[in-house]
Each structure stands twice: as C-alpha cells, then as structure tokens.
Amino acid sequence: MLALLLAAPAAQDDPEKTYGDWVVACDNLNGCEMTSLQPGEQPVPEDDSAWDASMSVTRAAGPAGGFTVEVWAAAAPSGKVTLRIDDAAIAAAAAGGESVTFTGADAARIVAAMPNGKALTLVDGSGKVAARISLAGSSASLRHIDANQGRAGTVTAIVAKGSKPASAVPAAKAPAQIAALRPSGTPATVSKAMRAGMERQSECDGLYDGAESVPEVESFALGGGKTLALLPCGAGAYNFSSVAFVLAGSKAVRAVFDDGNDGMLVNAGFDKGVLSSYNKGRGIGDCGGSQTYVWDGTRFRLTEARVMGECRGSTNWLATYRATPVFR
C-alpha cells in the first residue's frame, strides 16, 4: 500500500515573480517554469503580429534536471523552423501542430543563449518570422530558477554559475499522494427546501429574487452515499460562481477544502472525480488562477494550483502546487 499523506498543502509565499517581459514560478516539488509576456517597454510594430506569440521554458528539479522549450507561434508555421536569438541560429525543428517543442541538447543551447539576447525569433521554412519573443527579464527569471532549485554556484546553473558539482543540487522531491474516493452511486436530488437552506448558509441568499430564470444546482455523486452540489451564486461576462456543498441524506453542509478555500468556486466543473475551479482575470484567459481537487471521503484535497498574475498575453498559467491523486 502507498503511504498517503494527510497533511494540508504547504502555502508558498508569493510563488510567482515577474521580471521584465517574463513570469516565473516554482512549484512545491521545485519544478520551475517561466513564460513570456507581451513586450512592456519595447515598441510593437503595428503590422507585425509575430509579437502575439508566446514561449515557455521549464526545468525539472534535481541534479540532472533538463529543459523543455515550447514556442506558440502567432500563426502556425510551415516546414522546417529555425529558432534564432538575435542574429544567431540556435536550433531547428520540424513544424507541426500549434507549437514547436525543443528538448535535450537543443533546449539547453537555447536557454544558454537567452540571458545575453534581446529577442528570440522563430522563422519558418518560407523565411517568415512566425514568432518574436522579447528576452527582457529572461536572465533574471533563469537566475530565479537557479536559486529556487539550489543550483546557484554549481555547474548546472545557467546564470548563477559556479564550480560546485551537479551532486550539490538537491534531489527532486516526490509528489504527495492523495487518497481519493472514486465517484460512485447516484447523486441526490436537491429539493427547493434544501436549496433554500443552502442559500441561507452562503452569500447567495436572495441573489436570484425576481429573476426571469434561475440556474439549476448541479449535483454529482461522490461515493459513500454523498453528493457534491454546486449552488449557483452569480455570474459575470466570463466567470460564473458557485458554492460547493456536500449532501448526505437530507443534510447539506458547505464543503471543506484542505487549502483554506471557503467553497466559493469559479467556473467550477466535476469530471471523473476531479473538481476544478478556473477564475479568469480577463475574457481571453491570459491571467487568473486555477485549482483542482479530489474528494477523500471527508474533504476536498488540492492536487494542482496554477496562477498567472500578469494580464499580458500568456494563457500558459504556471503551476505552484502539484500532488498525485490515488483513487480507491
């Protein structure tokens, strides 16, 4: 049997940092990712949509942790693409899909060249610039990763290089394993009286008085005779709120979450035992925060948290917490 950890997820102090045109974050396992933003100080040519591109760099934790570089072009590139930093060609790959991914030695060369560069471009087989990424702040972001992964002063660092061997870098952490109850059974029916009681327990009481239509309560079987009920509690242009309740028989109580969430969720969904919340800061989804949870029979346990505090074009929200659900 796996040892299933029961402690609440440890909170991180300000896990996301912005440096120039980049944002970086490291999760609880010391895995780190940085993602590009729309240029802040640099002028953006009106006829050049290549600035609409974005890019991420991830580095795994541990002495042998390598890089993955992914570039999302403004328009899907064709043929063989070449990645350039300033005037130098660094790596090439075959185009395919919505993004181009570099790993291994190619990714390592790209990252090594970033701190001293001004702009990264992706040129497709026809010679067209399919992506243009500002590198302002990339050096500081890579230094942030060096520090958070314990690489500063070692030969594995990119910016904060030193002579210490790779063995001086802390080993990667294993994710917490969360005991999760596999959904089963039939969800309970939410009566008018039960809904009225749920509304009195939340900030939703009277919210829909006089409305022409009232959204239904969504309900899902959790297993063990319990039901998850998502009580509607208002909506905006691109976010809708709901409060999570757990029903057992005729009793409804606000759901308990191990990360301090009070049960107010945004754009909530429940699928295959995973409860999700996705709060967009803007309609295009280039900033906000998200969480996923599983039910352990008593409370909802956090399995992933992502954040993007900068509304500057990146829909690649950065992970700050990860755990592995183990369903039973």
Side-chain angles (χ1 to χ4, degrees), residues 26-230:
C26 298
D27 61 27
N28 57 310
L29 307 178
N30 285 345
C32 297
E33 182 175 9
M34 51 190 276
T35 192
S36 66
L37 303 171
Q38 290 294 300
E41 300 298 329
Q42 298 188 34
V44 179
E46 292 182 2
D47 60 348
D48 193 351
S49 62
W51 284 110
D52 292 337
S54 64
M55 171 182 172
S56 78
V57 176
T58 61
R59 188 169 200 184
F67 292 99
T68 299
V69 173
E70 189 168 10
V71 182
W72 291 268
S78 60
K80 186 178 180 180
V81 296
T82 301
L83 186 148
R84 304 180 65 88
I85 292 181
D86 298 336
D87 296 326
I90 307 297
E98 297 181 354
S99 65
V100 180
T101 301
F102 300 88
T103 58
D106 284 343
R109 283 196 303 273
I110 294 167
V111 174
M114 288 173 63
N116 296 318
K118 293 183 178 180
L120 178 150
T121 55
L122 197 68
V123 181
D124 70 12
S126 67
K128 178 182 178 182
V129 175
R132 180 176 281 107
I133 306 293
S134 166
L135 294 178
S138 63
S139 178
S141 296
L142 289 166
R143 184 183 291 276
H144 180 98
I145 293 175
D146 287 343
N148 275 262
Q149 293 187 332
R151 301 182 185 281
T154 75
V155 296
T156 72
I158 291 297
V159 178
K161 286 185 176 295
S163 59
K164 295 180 183 178
S167 59
V169 178
K173 299 178 182 178
Q177 295 177 323
I178 306 298
L181 191 62
R182 196 178 303 279
S184 63
T186 303
T189 300
V190 179
S191 66
K192 289 184 178 180
M194 185 178 288
R195 176 169 183 157
M198 291 161 61
E199 290 180 344
R200 286 193 296 271
Q201 291 185 58
S202 64
E203 296 86 348
C204 315
D205 192 17
L207 186 64
Y208 297 101
D209 289 352
E212 293 183 3
S213 63
V214 179
E216 297 291 331
V217 176
E218 292 186 279
S219 58
F220 307 89
L222 289 172
K226 295 183 178 180
T227 294
L228 166 66
L230 298 177

Side-chain angles (χ1 to χ4, degrees), residues 235-321:
Y238 40 82
N239 288 320
F240 67 89
S241 299
S242 55
V243 181
F245 283 83
V246 175
L247 313 183
S250 61
K251 187 177 181 181
V253 297
R254 286 187 72 150
V256 176
F257 292 77
D258 71 344
D259 65 342
N261 189 321
D262 65 357
M264 181 69 78
L265 307 175
V266 183
N267 301 323
F270 187 78
D271 182 48
K272 297 179 181 179
V274 178
L275 175 62
S276 61
S277 181
Y278 181 84
N279 186 6
K280 295 196 293 185
R282 296 202 303 181
I284 61 174
D286 65 342
C287 52
S290 66
Q291 302 81 33
T292 59
Y293 304 91
V294 292
W295 173 250
D296 71 356
T298 302
R299 58 181 176 165
F300 284 99
R301 308 287 304 281
L302 183 69
T303 56
E304 183 181 86
R306 289 182 172 271
V307 67
M308 176 52 64
E310 296 283 350
C311 299
R312 289 173 56 189
S314 177
T315 56
N316 179 37
W317 298 3
L318 303 179
T320 59
Y321 182 84

Side-chain angles (χ1 to χ4, degrees), residues 3-19:
L4 303 180
L5 304 185
L6 299 178
Q12 298 188 76
D13 294 329
D14 196 17
E16 178 194 38
K17 298 289 186 182
T18 301
Y19 300 101

